Amino acid sequence: MKLLIANDDGITSEGISALAGALAQEHDIYVCAPSRQRSGTGHGITITECVTASEYDFTGAKKAYMMSGTPADCVKMGLMLLNDEGVEIDAVFSGINAGGNIGTDTLYSGTVSAALEGAVCGLPAVAVSINSLRPKHYGLATELALRAARLDFHGIDSRLVLNINVPDLPTPEVKGVKVTGLGMLGYYDWNVASRDKSGNLTLRYGGDRIFYDELDADSNDVGASQHGYATITPIHFDLTSYQLLDKVRESGIAEMRGI
């Protein structure tokens, strides 16, 4: 297949090189990634200024672009640029991210959003992350990425998005792999306040993940991660709460009478 690889850690990161190197063993690789660190940008796109794109010498890639935009920009615009050059991409891969993207953190993740943008553009996609800000062990992450690329995407769903998260451990030390749903994820002391030299209040995100004692390895991706498992979660950009549609209809909020 022809695969487009993006990320949010930037085109020079170790993780994207590891992912591209693994997938290039079996597929044609194209890269479009940010010029700098873009973690936590979510699914934002650049609309108030132009996005610059320049060709980049990326080992193992048929072609690569370094872009000034967000991860979602890189996928949306990368697909457009490659299509104009006669390259039809079959699937989008994002990662390998330095840091896990599980539970509600997926809503903030540039890595996951790059994969979701692939689905928005009509393609299957895979996001891959390692649960460490300084990962050392890429073996299982790259193996699961290769397995994902071998899937019959269209036999499952042509807009399938898989969110893969792996412990930063040698493969034999990982307890296993769980296919599971997303959980709630919070942090201790997540808001760090201080004063700068001018006396202005400054705020930044920080803190450690909360450990949820009530969660076991089968609860959701947060519980499985806590207990040393890799996780695979199928996700989608459709945020509709289908189980609540009828209740909201029945609530009368949509009645025009009396307005």
Side-chain angles (χ1 to χ4, degrees):
M1 292 193 297
K2 293 180 174 64
L3 304 179
L4 174 62
I5 298 180
N7 73 347
D8 71 0
D9 287 334
I11 199 166
T12 62
S13 71
E14 185 176 344
I16 197 171
S17 294
L19 181 60
L23 292 173
Q25 299 173 36
E26 300 180 8
H27 305 279
D28 291 337
I29 299 304
Y30 298 82
V31 174
C32 188
S35 58
R36 59 186 176 88
Q37 175 60 252
R38 286 287 199 164
S39 292
T41 55
H43 210 123
I45 58 173
T46 304
I47 59 174
T48 58
E49 59 188 47
C50 292
V51 173
T52 62
S54 55
E55 289 193 36
Y56 187 86
D57 184 14
F58 194 104
T59 302
K62 298 292 184 182
K63 193 159 198 176
Y65 284 102
M66 179 173 66
M67 300 184 68
S68 64
T70 67
D73 286 330
C74 290
V75 172
K76 186 181 289 291
M77 294 181 175
L79 289 171
M80 179 191 69
L81 287 172
L82 292 169
N83 184 69
D84 288 347
E85 296 169 8
V87 178
E88 284 196 33
I89 295 296
D90 297 298
V92 173
F93 278 70
S94 180
I96 296 170
N97 193 65
N101 284 303
I102 59 174
T104 43
D105 272 4
T106 56
L107 297 172
Y108 309 111
S109 169
T111 301
V112 174
S113 291
L116 286 169
E117 184 58 36
V120 170
C121 295
L123 296 173
V126 179
V128 187
S129 304
I130 295 178
N131 295 324
S132 171
L133 296 178
R134 294 178 178 81
K136 299 177 181 178
H137 305 284
Y138 288 91
L140 182 58
T142 55
E143 178 56 35
L144 290 177
L146 279 166
R147 282 193 189 181
R150 296 176 193 136
L151 287 175
D152 176 14
F153 288 118
H154 298 284
I156 303 173
D157 187 324
S158 61
R159 295 193 183 194
L160 172 71
V161 180
L162 295 179
N163 183 36
I164 298 173
N165 284 271
V166 177
D168 188 24
L169 295 170
T171 301
E173 295 180 23
V174 178
K175 290 184 178 179
V177 183
K178 298 280 188 181
V179 177
T180 185
L182 297 177
M184 286 291 298
L185 183 62
Y187 290 81
Y188 295 107
D189 301 322
W190 64 270
N191 187 9
V192 181
S194 60
R195 297 278 177 179
D196 63 16
K197 293 180 180 179
S198 299
N200 298 312
L201 179 64
T202 63
L203 303 167
R204 67 178 176 83
Y205 295 110
D208 298 319
R209 283 181 181 175
I210 294 173
F211 188 94
Y212 298 90
D213 293 321
E214 70 275 16
L215 296 181
D216 62 30
D218 295 313
S219 299
N220 49 47
D221 65 340
V222 175
S225 178
Q226 286 183 171
H227 291 280
Y229 288 84
T231 62
I232 302 175
T233 303
I235 59 176
H236 202 271
F237 56 78
D238 183 355
L239 302 179
T240 306
S241 180
Y242 288 99
Q243 67 269 32
L244 294 180
L245 279 175
D246 286 341
K247 287 186 177 181
V248 174
R249 290 185 184 117
E250 293 165 4
S251 73
I253 193 172
E255 290 287 340
M256 290 297 293
R257 189 170 44 197
I259 294 179

